[in-house]
Each structure stands twice: as structure tokens, then as C-alpha cells.
Amino acid sequence: MAAQDMVQDKYVYDFAEGNKDLKDLLGGKGANLAEMTNLGLPVPPGFTITTEACKAYLATGAQPDGLAGQIEAHLESLERAMDKRLGDPQDPLLVSVRSGAKFSMPGMMETVLNVGLNDHSVVGLSAQAGGNDRFAWDSYRRLIQMFGKTVCDVPGDEFEHALDEAKRAKGTRDDLDLDADDLRGLVDAYKKIFLKHTGREFPQEPREQLDLAIRAVFESWNAERAVLYRRQERIPADLGTAVNVVAMVFGNLGPDSGTGVAFTRDPASGAQGIYGDYLANAQGEDVVAGIRNTVPLQDLERLDKSSYDELLGIMARLEGHYRDLCDIEFTIERGKLWMLQTRVGKRTAAAAFVIAGQLVDEGLIDLNEALHRVNGAQLAQLMFPRFQLDHEFQPVAKGIGASPGAASGKVVFTSARAVELAAEGESVILVRRETNPDDLNGMIAAKGILTSRGGKTSHAAVVARGMGKTCVSGADEIEVNVPAKRFTVAGQTVGEGDVVSIDGTTGKVYLGEVPVMPSEVVQYFEGSLDPEHIDNALVRAVHRIMTHADANRRLAVRTNADTGADAARARRFGAEGIGLCRTEHMFLGDRRELVERLILARAEGERDAALAALLPLQRADFEEIFREMDGLPVTVRLIDPPLHEFLPPLEQLAVDVAVAQERGEDVAKEEALLAAVRRMHEENPMLGLRGVRLGLVIPGLFAMQVRAIAEAAVACVRGGGTAKPEIMVPLVGAVQELETVRAEAEKIIAEVVGDSGVEVLIGTMIEVPRAALTAGQIAEAAQFFSFGTNDLTQMGWGFSRDDVEGAFFWRYLELGIFGISPFESIDRDGVGRLVRIATEEGRAARPGLKIGVCGEHGGDPDSVHFFHEVGLDYVSCSPFRVPVARLEAGRAAVQTDGSDSR
Ligand code: ADP
Ligand code: MG
Ligand code: MG
């Protein structure tokens, strides 16, 4: 080697030189091939070209200095190891060229197998295989097909078409019936296709084939689909991909050869056992491509006992080594087993919990690690009702599970029809090619949404998730014909009114109504399944992991609940108090009339009478909640929305009044109401007369609520309970607002509470950006803070939530302006910064200030981690999210050795 080579960057690693921790440099596939090699497993020899080489290539458009030489050197040592030369006409070495980035990524270049074959070496290959012409020509046609498609962008279906043609000419549907002559003919046809599309002959020079394939892998890093995928998944754009060059082994040499995939446990249920598929006399991707029917892996025991036993031994070793479920690709060449890939395998939510529990039992991981092997999104999935799928239900299509849940209903094709049928009490599924903002009403009315186009960030997906509505998007086997009011799938036609069922978790679509069964995990949380006494691996694993999370988390978890029933349910789910009790519902129903009187009151006396009538009703509401939450803190928010929300809408009222006047009826009261609605109309109600502003403008309103709270607490204590009320003032932006409310409230509380021993705290929401920025001042007057992150996000971004999600968020997500809606997961950089500032300055002014969060973010996994980091005392979320928040708070608090498998 020349002296200058010695100081060059190392761009190529032999498999024996790498290991599983070098994913950044060698990509996932390369790092794990190296790991298996070093474990002494039968991996065909090969080498990995690093992500650094890819980055250098992409930066300059040329291979970096020294790369060509290093590839040459590693190829030579590969040739020595195999005792063959690449493309040698007598006894050719063939290789596969495989991309492999740190994260597995759709849209990147796939694999090219059999590199090194040409018109001469195909003859040598046949001779070496004992005169197996069929095998040699089959391998050659595969090379031209894969090379053409992935390296030179020749449309893949042209090759497919030629293959179908050959089968038809032979009168068969099975590619195994094609003999050597048929395949030789196919190679000729493929070469013509290649020439037609590329303007050149298929390259015969093996080194040129190799180099072109390597470059194509590098370049595929910047393919449009890959770029888009990275943006959406927040994968950095500058990681680059590695390239693996691996000596070919052949599963297509005859019936004693084959190829397969295997899992060390069932990736669906987590059960221990042998899971996988095997296909005899086949190469590479035939298994997943579904070209022929595979057999269950168990059958391999009968076909080739010694390979089977060896494989099982290797699987057990890999599991012990990776301490996790592994998935595996292997090939058998004439009775000899070869390992071609392994990685920590993907799994369903249920399997994640079950496997984590099993691995603890087996002593492979501890409970801290188990906690990191699962996550809140998986737990949330397990809390949805599921379809009860017997064998009679086969999916007819599969799209993207865009918003979880299980929904059945009658098919409709327009938003208007969805609204109509829903109004008649029908469950409907809105089916569209894709949705747009005009479909919003139909989406609200539907039980579920099914589209044939669009991904996880399409309009349908984004809006459905925001509404918590089941959605399957991009089910492209479905052909939607809106004008004809039907869709076709798998040769069947489904018209308006026919019933379909969609699974928003798996993306599967079924014809007819699939029965739904309740979630066992919810039954466990509700206390109706005892984990110690039932034989249910999932429930036991959830119980065990939740117990560990609770024992370790620092954040308390409260709930948002407005009624005794919600409070009771949340308490069963583990809530440790109420973080947000909204009082607006206490102004609805038959109480509306009192609110109208309050608003229309001309004289003080009328207003006081209305408030006096509301007082006992509110007191009763609070008493019920305090009773359910006995002993736990309850944060009650004083009334927040603009009062005109409690009045009839302007248009309707105007019409009613006009009609009544026409009839000559007495409409004095309605006219007054109409005038009030006109007067109170706001262009921008979210920024108008609401929250603390109401309390300061309408005399006696907050005072009545404060009195109801204090009286309810006293009644609760007199009845032998313990009430811990915390009064929360909404929408404060300046300390003076809070001081004014507090002064009045304290007088009332002192008067009501007397010597009952009840203690009432007074604090504020931090939801206006100005409040966050003046938190130091506000803390002087507040006994606690609670971040209202919904409003803080609205006002921080200047987004009107009700408008933006349907109107343009899908576009923002598509462009990667944010990776997830800031209403779903807290925007750490902006809104999160406000939270940090307010926490630090609030606590500086009042050490030990109790701080929580009560927006929907309180139940979002990522946001919970953020609130833990910032040092909040608790998160509060909807009852159903309480277990998710408990789990994530535990995960945030517990450290592991870093082998988090998410
Ligand atoms: P993917 O990431 O899409 O699975 P792979 O690089 O793993 O792509 O390769 C695709 C298929 O080709 C797999 O079935 C793999 O096992 C097979 N394969 C890859 N390299 C070889 C090889 N050297 N010999 C035999 N089969 C191979
Ligand atoms: Mg693979
Ligand atoms: Mg708010």
C-alpha cells in the first residue's frame, strides 16, 4: 500500500471489523451483520462501505479519495476468502449490494442480487452448480431486473410483464415451471427492455456493475420519497446510508435450498414459539413478495432437520445476545444455513408489553429496562376497543393506520350525506379518495374515515387524529368513484349504505360489520380484571410495568374532570386529584335560562337573583366532585368561555324573532335577547371577554362561584370527608388581575370557612404568553400555577385551533414545518420555552410553588417527558389518558443503560 493510503480515512469495514454499536457508521444492517459475524454465526463474508463515504460522495458528487482503492482491497480479500473472482467466466463470485441506513427507511434503494453475472459468467455459474442451467439463467434474469429497476430506473412492471408473458407462453402461473431455455429467452427480453429505457446495453463488466450499484445506493439517500419520509419522521437529513457488499449464497439451487424469515417470538402476541415463513428453491425477496405460497417455518423441520435445528439454536443465541425479540433473514444453500440479516424486530403494542414482561422473568432485562421497552402510545392503543376477528373476516384492503380505533358503519361518499345519515342516528364511514377542508362536517358526523390516497400527514389523517376519530388513509387497493357512489376493491363493489369496518390501528379494511370487543387493559384499569388471578399475559405484563412506573415516577398525575362520574372513573385509572374542573357545563341545560337572566339583568337586584339561583346548583355539583375525590386536591377553574356562548346563535334568534313578529306575538323578551347577542358579538371570541376578564366585568359572578366552592368544601368536611379545593383563575395576563380577584375571593372564603379547618388555595392558569413572561410578578399573588397549554399554544403561535387544523395543518406537516401538531405534542422550542421561563421565574419568586399542566398535552407521551424535565409537580389529562401519563412519567424518571429499543 502506498504511504498516502495509510493516513486516509477508513471508508470500508470488513464484517469482522464492525459491531452492533456502530450503527451510525455502518448502518443498522451492516452493524448487525458484523455482530453476527463476530458471534461466529454463518454469515457470508462481505464488507460495509460507511455512511461517511456516502456523505462525502453526496457532498462532492464524486467518490472520496481512497474509496475506490479500499473497495478494491476489500473485494480482493473477499475473493480470497471465497476462492473465486468477481464475475469470473469459469467460477464467478457473485455479490449482493444492499443499502442500510441507521434507521430503516422506505424510499431508499433496495437490494441488487447476483452482481457479477454476465453472458460469460452465467455459463460458469451453471457449470459450478453441476450443470444447473435453469438456476444460472434464473439468477441472471433477476440481476437484470433488479439492476434495471433500482440502479437505472427502468419501470419495474415492464419486467413483470415480460415474465408474465413467458409464463403465459408456457401455459403456467408458477415461475418454477419455466425451464432454462425459457429463462434464457427472458434474459434476452429483459436486455431489450434495458436498452430501450437506458439507451445502452446491460453492462457486462462486473466491476462496473458493482460501482454503479454502489453509487445508486448513495444517491438513493436523496430520492424524493426518502427525503419526504425523513422530514416527517424527523430523521436528520445528513446521516447518509451505508452500503453492504455480501457474497451471494443461493436459495434457488433446487429443492434442498430455500430462503426464509423468522422471528424469535410472535411479533403479534409476544408468545414464545417459532414464527416465520420458508420458501424452498427461491431467492431473496420471493418470500415477502408473495410470488409463491410460503410454508410455515415449522415445516422446515421436516424438509431439512439439521438446518432447522441449527437455526433454532442461532435464534436462541441472538435473543440472549440482543436481549430482545429479533427478526431474521436466512437462506439455505444445498443444506447449508446462512444468516443474511437480523435486527431487533418490530412488534405490536400488546407484544411489546408481553415480551418486556417475559424478558424480565427470564432475567435478560430488569424492570427499568422493561419500562423503556414499552411506551404510552402503545398503551393508548391497547385501551381502544378492538375488532373481534375470527377467521371469517379477511381484510379486503390495507391502508395506513392513521388514527386508532375500530369503527363500523354505512358507507357514504359525501360530507353532506354523512351529516344526513348521522342525523338519522346511523353510524357512517365517510369514504373519499382524499379529504379536504370542505369535508369537515362530514368527518365530524362520521364514525370513521377511509381514504384511498394520502399518508399519515394527509388532511384526513391529521384532522381525524385531532378529533380522536378512527381513520384509515391511503388504502390504495380501493378504487373510489364518488359520482357513482361506490368503490371497488378486490373485485367487489361497495355502494352507499353498505357496511364496512375499518381498523385505525392496523389500517385494515373489512366488508360487513365486524363485532367489537372491549379492551382487556381498560377492564384491568377499571378493576374488573384481577391480574393476579387471571391467565392473561398482557394484563399481567401491563400490571407489572405500571406498578414499576408508579413506584418510580416523580410527576403526579391528575385528571381533567367536570362531573362526579368522570372523577370516579379517573380515580380508578389512578388519578391523584383533579387538575382541571371546568365549570362551564354548570351553566348549560336548564340552567341556561338563569344565565340569560344574568346577562339581560338591567338592575343589580335582577342579577343578584339570578346568581343566587345558580349558587345552590353549583354547590351541589362541587359537593359531588369533592366527595368522589375525597382526600385528593381538586382544582376548580372559574368560568372561562365568553358568556354569549350560552345564548342562542345570532342567525337563529334573528329568524325566530322575525317570524314571531310576523305572527304578531309578544317578543319583548326575545328582542332583548337578540339585542344582547348583537351587543356581545365578538369578531375574535378567543381573544375577547372571557376568563378573568368576565370576573372583573360582571359583578358577583366569580364571587358566587367562589362561595359555592367554599360552601361545598365545608359541607364535605362536616360530612366527615376531606376536601382540598384549589381555585384557579383563567386567562390572567397581569398580576393586578389576579390580585383583584383574590382580594374579593379571600374575604368570601374567610367568611364561609370559619373554623371548619378547610383550606382553599387560590392560583392561576398560565396560558397567556404575557403571564409566562411576568410569572415572577404573578407568583407573588398565586399559590399555584397550572399551564393551560392549549391556549398557550394558540396564543403563542397565533393559531386559532378550531380553524387551523382543518385548514392548513396537513400542509405544514407535509412540508415538515413541524413534525407533529403543536396541539398534540408540546412545541418545546417555543411554547415549551414559555413554560420553562414561567417555571423558573415563578419558583424564584415563590420557592416551592406548586406547578402543573392541564392542557391536553398532559396526556401526550413526549410532552410528559418535557414536563418532567422542566420540573413540574404534576400533569393533568383526560381520564382515559391517565394511565398513559403514569407510564410516561415513570419512563421519564427511570434511567437505563441506553438500549432502549423503541
Ligand atoms: P431489505 O432491507 O429490503 O430486506 P436486503 O438487503 O435484506 O433488503 O435484501 C433483500 C433480500 O435479498 C433479502 O431476502 C435478503 O435476505 C436477500 N439477500 C441479500 N443479500 C443476499 C446474499 N448475499 N445472498 C443471498 N440472498 C441475499
Ligand atoms: Mg432484509
Ligand atoms: Mg384556556
Side-chain angles (χ1 to χ4, degrees), residues 31-171:
N32 287 324
L33 280 167
E35 188 78 11
M36 287 199 291
T37 301
N38 290 321
L39 282 173
L41 304 184
V43 177
F47 53 86
T48 304
I49 303 167
T50 65
T51 54
E52 291 297 328
C54 172
K55 285 193 262 187
Y57 174 85
L58 291 176
T60 61
Q63 294 206 357
D65 279 353
L67 178 58
Q70 291 182 33
I71 292 176
E72 192 65 47
H74 281 267
L75 184 59
E76 274 168 22
S77 86
L78 180 59
E79 288 175 332
R80 270 196 306 280
M82 299 296 290
D83 195 19
K84 291 169 194 280
R85 281 194 306 96
L86 184 70
D88 183 291
Q90 261 75 50
D91 182 12
L93 167 68
L94 305 185
V95 296
S96 61
V97 178
R98 316 166 70 184
S99 70
K102 180 177 184 188
F103 305 103
S104 91
M105 248 176 54
M108 297 263 308
M109 199 200 84
E110 294 142 37
T111 296
V112 183
L113 302 179
N114 307 332
V115 168
L117 275 179
N118 57 26
D119 295 350
H120 302 289
S121 61
V122 68
V123 180
L125 182 67
S126 165
Q128 291 299 324
N132 189 340
D133 271 354
R134 186 194 182 280
F135 153 72
W137 287 97
D138 184 48
S139 302
Y140 193 17
R141 70 97 189 157
R142 286 171 191 265
L143 168 65
I144 302 172
Q145 183 166 0
M146 281 185 267
F147 190 94
K149 194 173 140 200
T150 61
V151 178
C152 302
D153 290 325
V154 179
D157 44 356
E158 296 226 11
F159 294 119
E160 292 298 337
H161 190 73
L163 179 58
D164 288 343
E165 201 56 45
K167 286 194 248 179
R168 195 168 19 249
K170 191 82 182 177

Side-chain angles (χ1 to χ4, degrees), residues 29 96 98 111 113 246-249 284-285 329 331 340-341:
K29 202 176 281 172
S96 61
R98 316 166 70 184
T111 296
L113 302 179
V246 190
M248 282 302 300
V249 291
E285 264 152 350
E329 291 175 5
T331 279
L340 290 172
Q341 190 173 336

Side-chain angles (χ1 to χ4, degrees), residues 319-331:
E319 250 214 5
H321 186 70
Y322 283 88
R323 303 180 306 131
D324 207 344
L325 159 77
C326 293
D327 81 19
I328 288 161
E329 291 175 5
F330 67 93
T331 279

Side-chain angles (χ1 to χ4, degrees), residues 31 46 324 405 514 536 660 669 802:
D324 207 344
V514 182
N536 182 317
K669 190 176 151 243
D802 291 338

Side-chain angles (χ1 to χ4, degrees), residues 596-604 606-608:
E596 285 176 13
R597 268 165 55 195
L598 179 71
I599 294 171
L600 297 177
R602 291 236 163 65
E604 224 169 276
E606 285 175 37
R607 185 189 318 115
D608 290 349

